[in-house]
Amino acid sequence: MAKPDKLIPKQAMPKLSMEERRKTLKEVALGFSEDLALVEASRCLQCAKPKCVEGCPVNIDIPAFIKLIQERKFEEAIEKIKERNALPAMCGRVCPQENLCQKSCVLGIKGEPVAIGALERFAADYELKKEPITPTGSKCNPTGVKVAVVGSGPFGLTAAADLAKQGFDVTIFEALHEPGGVLIYGIPEFRLPKRVVKAEVEYVKSLGVKIQTDVIIGKTYTLDELFQMGYKAVFIGTGAGAPIFLGIPGENLSGIYSANEFLTRVNLMKAYLFPKYATPVKVGRKVAVIGGGNVAFDSARTALRLGAEKVALVYRRTEAEMPARREEVENAKEEGVEFMCLVNPVRFIGDEAGWVKEMECLRMELGEPDESGRRRPIPIKGSEFRIPVDTVIVAIGTRVNPLIQKTAPLLKTDKHGHLVVDDYGRTSMKFVYAGGDITSGTATVIEAMKAGKRTVQAFCEDLQKSE
Amino acid sequence: MNDIVSAKELAPNIKQFEILAPPVATKVRPGHFVVLQTEEEGERIPLTVVDSNPEKGTVTLVFLEIGASTKKLGKLKQGNRILHFVGPLGNPSEIEKFGQVVCVGGGIGAAAIYPIVKALKAAGNRVISIIGARNKDLLIYEEELRKVSDELYVTTDDGSKGRHGFVSDVLKELLEKGIPIDRVIAVGPAVMMKVISNLTKPFRVKTIVSLNPIMVDATGMCGCCRVYVSGETKFACVDGPEFDGHQVDFDNLLARLRTYVEEEKLSHQMLEKGEG
Ligand SMILES: Cc1cc2nc3c(=O)[nH]c(=O)nc-3n(C[C@H](O)[C@H](O)[C@H](O)COP(=O)(O)OP(=O)(O)OC[C@H]3O[C@@H](n4cnc5c(N)ncnc54)[C@H](O)[C@@H]3O)c2cc1C
Ligand SMILES: Cc1cc2nc3c(=O)[nH]c(=O)nc-3n(C[C@H](O)[C@H](O)[C@H](O)COP(=O)(O)OP(=O)(O)OC[C@H]3O[C@@H](n4cnc5c(N)ncnc54)[C@H](O)[C@@H]3O)c2cc1C
Ligand code: SF4
Ligand code: SF4
Ligand code: FES
């Protein structure tokens, strides 16, 4: 076994060549080789009171799985992770580790923390590479209690996996034709390959979970009807999928997309393979992406790969305030995304055929901090200027889609339309639980998963009490 | 589930499918639509539900084979299964006792208006239906509509059957005659709905149109289907598809419908060459 040695520097993640990054949707972060993983794992001090575990929202036993990697017991390492996290190959890729587990790692005080996310991904990929997970069909369930999960994003998949592990008879209802939520329609291939999402969905199915796609709760069935159909409880994880537009003149010109539409066309409908795949997408030569979060970066980097000559990311604050993951900001810079900071669009101008051709913007300056603690952008009078564009992607956020609430008046919502829940995800309706973006607004994959675990605990307690 | 129980050609390039989809069949109301996809590589196609049979668990769709996706759909036969089928989507039509209602169906819209006419009639309205097509061979749902309407007018662009002219010509005459009209409902190509809305506006007759913008998910997630109604952005799939025709920006809708003309042509050529 390798000796803990903090003199070894943190191992860098190997990346795809720049040439391929400009032309293909292949995954950028290539993952650790076995050798790299062993070296990186050897850096972990195996702390007696590991801070990293507290930093992980689902409390993976991090030192334990890293020790198993040190001992080359890769299969046991992934088993250890899966005790707490059903979707490790995805979390290892898209978790904001730098703010979570790695932020709490003691090695980070003086130097670089252990690359926990990359090690988690290594263990998960090892298992995926070894043998494709095949669903084992429905397992017998000791309790015979049927439960329904609405939405197959990270909340729904995690809740379903934990429920199945407890022995419940679980069915997920998903509105779209593919399970995975944002992981399948939003986050692009080059950050989270769809085969990884599919493999983790298969793992959840192998626990006995049934998934019915093409079912919209609130339309195909209402909540009440689910209870009538014999489901004892319903877990709602429908996300916050409705796009927000800027509300400025010209925003409905052709060539202007919401990030959701743009990414859905490319990821879910595979428009990058048009015409083999029937759904098209239009990427012009000059693309402007409005926003500064993960979604804006994913859109900008996708547009580059689909052949745009120039992609400008237009953000109303400065780079320091951008909510996107640092790693992705760096990747985007390397790939040639241009940043236009302290700039805000005020209207779009179209040609005779109704296509967007110019965007009028205002320059901004930063004022006092607002509720979010970030300095508020203030427009500079008379600073209007125009830039030529032929595609615009609006990535300024999403809100809750009210499809379910519309047919379930007893479900309490706050003024933003988020479902109101207690600390454990109990909604205002008995045996109805919720979590993920539908309760919090757009957050993170791992927060949605944590909520999934908590709601299952709450349900188990409620069920025992009611018996 | 999703099996094509019966398939019929109503007119050249117009097909009618009856599809087994019990959850949709029991829920669907006039004005609702569904989204279907025929293959993994296919598009999500929105189509209006024209009829349903809750006992059999079936819904009826009528579609025009206009481009690659609808042509592929049209190649399916009785007994085939549709890969993905989801619904009912959109808001149902507002059905009340309004008085005298004129229902206008242009082209394929004649089938789409049928469930609305039927429901309006059952709600105690006097219904005048006007349907039109390019020529007599392309007229559909004439007999069905005659059974449920109090009056039925038929027009053809070339005069091969019924009145020579457009559906709007008949409506114009009715309006000018000054017969009481409490509401007009128009379903058909966007241009036709624009003409009808412009026609009724000076007469101040409430006019409802069923919009057909390009859609992707049809659940309110993408905003592809957005239209200006009273100057505000609305999503046709969840806020509509029916809107007050006098408030709709049809020119914007028409422009957005042309977004992918080049791609649509390419897909069509591929299909003709047998590569699609
Ligand atoms: C482009 C993009 C990039 C992101 N990058 C990151 C990242 O790097 N790291 C990170 O941690 N987070 C990231 N996020 C945020 C993260 O993806 C979300 O916080 C997370 O997916 C929320 O999970 P969820 O389960 O609550 O909902 P979702 O993932 O939104 O899933 C909800 C599911 O419910 C379905 N649904 C909705 N309504 C119904 C209904 N009525 N009936 C049935 N099904 C329904 C939807 O179709 C969807 O499949 C990103 C988000 C986007 C859009
Ligand atoms: C709510 C709604 C209800 C509809 N009901 C019916 C119906 O009952 N019968 C019927 O024949 N047609 C109906 N349509 C139109 C039908 O969906 C389109 O004709 C079909 O998607 C065209 O696909 P295509 O590939 O065959 O043709 P394409 O060659 O791709 O396009 C032909 C035209 O259809 C429009 N179109 C293209 N893609 C889409 C899309 N994804 N969504 C909507 N429109 C598109 C474009 O304006 C285009 O010019 C409806 C559309 C909507 C939005
Ligand atoms: S799930 Fe996320 S936070 Fe937890 S250990 Fe893995 S990468 Fe870190
Ligand atoms: S805090 Fe860092 S060094 Fe300590 S156990 Fe966790 S990963 Fe290892
Ligand atoms: S089609 Fe996506 S929001 Fe209406």
Side-chain angles (χ1 to χ4, degrees):
Chain A
M1 191 190 104
K3 266 223 170 99
D5 183 351
K6 56 184 161 182
L7 292 177
I8 301 173
K10 182 177 172 184
Q11 301 300 297
M13 173 65 79
K15 286 193 201 172
L16 193 70
S17 78
M18 202 42 104
E19 212 190 330
E20 287 207 83
R21 279 166 68 180
R22 285 297 301 256
K23 284 202 228 101
T24 70
L25 288 179
K26 283 189 198 153
E27 189 171 18
V28 170
L30 297 175
F32 281 168
S33 63
E34 209 170 297
D35 290 345
L36 278 179
L38 288 171
V39 178
E40 186 61 29
S42 74
R43 297 177 61 230
C44 171
L45 303 175
Q46 294 292 317
C47 307
K49 283 194 188 133
K51 287 274 182 238
C52 53
V53 179
E54 287 165 35
C56 168
V58 297
N59 306 122
I60 293 178
D61 190 342
I62 294 167
F65 96 75
I66 296 185
K67 183 152 191 286
L68 289 164
I69 293 185
Q70 289 171 354
E71 293 165 358
R72 295 175 156 270
K73 294 181 182 153
F74 304 136
E75 272 146 66
E76 287 166 50
I78 191 64
E79 282 314 311
K80 187 69 38 271
I81 296 170
K82 281 191 171 171
E83 282 174 12
R84 302 288 314 163
N85 182 337
L87 315 170
M90 302 198 296
C91 288
R93 288 172 165 84
V94 302
C95 243
Q97 297 121 13
E98 59 280 14
N99 299 326
L100 302 167
C101 52
Q102 290 173 199
K103 191 177 185 183
S104 311
C105 169
V106 291
L107 284 187
I109 300 172
K110 282 202 183 127
E112 286 274 11
V114 175
I116 301 168
L119 288 173
E120 180 178 358
R121 169 183 166 173
F122 168 78
D125 284 358
Y126 180 85
E127 190 192 31
L128 294 182
K129 242 183 269 161
K130 245 189 71 225
E131 46 171 325
I133 300 158
T134 41
T136 51
S138 199
K139 283 193 180 153
C140 66
N141 71 88
T143 57
V145 177
K146 284 205 314 178
V147 293
V149 174
V150 185
S152 61
F155 171 87
L157 290 173
T158 304
D162 276 21
L163 286 161
K165 284 182 188 167
Q166 302 263 356
F168 292 104
D169 180 355
V170 193
T171 305
I172 299 182
F173 296 98
E174 167 57 48
L176 292 172
H177 56 272
E178 285 256 13
V182 167
L183 308 171
I184 204 91
Y185 77 72
I187 304 183
E189 184 75 18
F190 56 83
R191 260 201 323 126
L192 181 61
K194 300 307 147 222
R195 64 173 167 79
V196 172
V197 182
K198 284 187 182 151
E200 299 213 320
V201 168
E202 287 307 322
Y203 167 71
V204 172
K205 281 200 207 162
S206 75
L207 298 171
V209 172
K210 287 163 271 186
I211 304 186
Q212 281 193 31
T213 54
D214 304 312
V215 177
I216 304 174
I217 303 305
K219 287 280 180 190
T220 318
Y221 307 116
T222 62
L223 271 191
D224 285 345
E225 283 166 336
L226 288 179
F227 286 111
Q228 283 158 25
M229 286 155 74
Y231 292 98
K232 179 80 190 169
V234 181
F235 294 75
I236 304 177
T238 49
I244 297 174
F245 285 91
L246 293 149
I248 61 177
E251 70 183 351
N252 294 349
L253 288 166
S254 301
I256 304 183
Y257 290 101
S258 75
N260 268 10
E261 181 186 351
F262 183 72
L263 293 171
T264 300
R265 283 181 179 272
V266 178
N267 296 322
L268 179 69
M269 305 311 295
K270 302 214 166 39
Y272 65 95
L273 298 175
F274 180 88
K276 182 170 185 293
Y277 280 72
T279 305
V281 70
K282 283 255 193 202
V283 180
R285 285 165 45 221
K286 287 168 266 148
V287 180
V289 179
I290 323 289
N294 282 320
V295 186
F297 277 89
D298 284 346
S299 304
R301 297 173 65 199
T302 301
L304 265 185
R305 286 162 169 79
L306 296 185
E309 274 168 26
K310 188 178 142 90
V311 178
L313 196 116
V314 179
Y315 183 54
R316 60 194 185 125
R317 306 183 208 239
T318 72
E319 201 183 314
E321 283 86 23
M322 283 182 179
R325 290 190 60 196
R326 203 60 236 164
E327 187 184 321
E328 305 306 340
V329 175
E330 292 310 323
N331 281 335
K333 269 193 192 160
E334 283 171 21
E335 289 162 13
V337 173
E338 291 171 32
F339 289 19
M340 283 179 68
C341 291
L342 290 169
V343 171
N344 206 25
V346 286
R347 71 180 174 120
F348 299 104
I349 298 134
D351 64 14
E352 313 76 56
W355 267 91
V356 65
K357 66 170 190 196
E358 275 185 309
M359 181 165 88
E360 187 168 298
C361 304
L362 270 179
R363 298 210 183 273
M364 313 292 276
E365 60 191 352
L366 292 184
E368 296 299 307
D370 61 12
E371 318 83 62
S372 75
R374 293 177 304 174
R375 291 176 62 195
R376 189 193 304 273
I378 305 167
I380 301 175
K381 269 213 188 89
S383 65
E384 287 88 351
F385 66 100
R386 290 184 181 190
I387 59 168
V389 288
D390 35 32
T391 305
V392 175
I393 303 165
V394 181
I396 57 164
T398 53
R399 57 193 162 74
V400 163
N401 184 332
L403 275 182
I404 290 194
Q405 295 92 302
K406 268 191 188 163
T407 57
L410 293 178
L411 266 186
K412 253 203 213 123
T413 54
D414 68 13
K415 64 177 194 294
H416 303 293
H418 301 142
L419 291 185
V420 176
V421 289
D422 72 4
D423 288 345
Y424 294 89
R426 295 181 180 92
T427 67
S428 52
M429 278 174 79
K430 195 165 181 221
F431 286 130
V432 178
Y433 305 83
D437 287 1
I438 180 82
T439 59
S440 60
T442 306
T444 57
V445 170
I446 193 70
E447 285 298 331
M449 293 176 62
K450 177 182 178 181
K453 296 185 102 57
R454 263 189 329 209
T455 53
V456 173
Q457 277 170 16
F459 168 55
C460 290
E461 284 166 22
D462 295 350
L463 195 61
Q464 273 163 8
K465 267 187 236 148
S466 76
E467 266 159 10
Chain B
M1 285 276 272
N2 305 359
D3 300 40
I4 301 173
V5 180
S6 73
K8 187 153 98 181
E9 189 168 72
L10 300 181
N13 295 322
I14 299 180
K15 295 230 163 95
Q16 172 170 302
F17 281 180
E18 197 184 347
I19 294 162
L20 185 69
V24 183
T26 49
K27 270 279 159 61
V28 71
R29 284 160 58 199
H32 272 143
F33 67 99
V34 294
V35 160
L36 53 82
Q37 193 180 337
T38 57
E39 52 185 3
E40 144 82 8
E41 296 85 1
E43 275 184 292
R44 292 170 66 93
I45 310 172
L47 294 175
T48 307
V49 176
V50 167
D51 209 348
S52 65
N53 185 332
E55 285 81 52
K56 271 169 75 188
T58 59
V59 295
T60 303
L61 309 176
V62 174
F63 60 95
L64 176 64
E65 296 169 318
I66 186 174
S69 296
T70 43
K71 285 198 169 149
K72 276 192 186 163
L73 177 65
K75 289 207 169 90
L76 297 183
K77 306 221 155 41
Q78 182 183 337
N80 286 159
R81 181 168 294 180
I82 293 185
L83 182 61
H84 295 293
F85 191 93
V86 59
L89 296 162
N91 297 304
S93 305
E94 200 186 347
I95 302 292
E96 271 175 42
K97 187 166 177 188
F98 299 110
Q100 179 147 273
V101 184
V102 178
C103 292
V104 187
I108 201 87
I113 201 104
Y114 170 73
I116 301 174
V117 172
K118 209 162 69 166
L120 285 170
K121 181 74 192 153
N125 294 281
R126 188 168 191 284
V127 185
I128 303 175
S129 298
I130 310 173
I131 57 169
R134 286 213 310 281
N135 61 51
K136 70 174 193 315
D137 296 333
L138 295 175
L139 270 173
I140 55 166
Y141 267 67
E142 185 184 344
E143 285 322 307
E144 287 84 345
L145 280 164
R146 197 179 300 284
K147 277 190 208 128
V148 291
S149 312
D150 294 284
E151 282 176 55
L152 176 76
Y153 295 89
V154 173
T155 68
T156 48
D157 299 4
D158 67 352
S160 52
K161 185 164 186 192
R163 181 90 61 103
H164 188 171
F166 301 118
V167 283
S168 49
D169 298 338
V170 175
L171 178 61
K172 186 158 181 254
E173 271 181 37
L174 296 178
L175 287 165
E176 281 169 353
K177 256 192 223 159
I179 66 159
I181 301 178
D182 299 290
R183 180 175 279 237
V184 169
I185 303 175
V187 186
V191 201
M192 176 209 104
M193 294 191 283
K194 177 183 171 178
V195 171
I196 299 281
S197 299
N198 286 341
L199 188 62
T200 56
K201 200 166 185 179
F203 293 91
R204 293 169 194 248
V205 177
K206 176 104 172 168
T207 301
I208 301 296
V209 292
S210 179
L211 301 187
N212 53 356
I214 298 182
M215 295 187 172
V216 183
D217 63 304
T219 66
M221 183 268 272
C222 76
C224 173
C225 62
R226 62 198 195 276
V227 288
Y228 282 125
V229 182
S230 308
E232 263 180 62
T233 294
K234 297 275 176 198
F235 291 2
C237 68
V238 285
D239 301 323
E242 293 187 2
F243 293 103
D244 180 341
H246 297 156
Q247 308 300 331
V248 171
D249 180 344
F250 281 102
D251 294 334
N252 181 246
L253 173 68
L254 285 162
R256 288 183 66 83
L257 278 170
R258 287 191 297 266
T259 304
Y260 300 101
V261 268
E262 292 153 32
E263 287 78 3
E264 284 155 6
K265 246 187 243 151
L266 182 64
S267 290
H268 200 220
Q269 284 163 2
M270 299 256 308
L271 185 74
E272 303 281 280
K273 278 197 277 172
E275 292 168 9

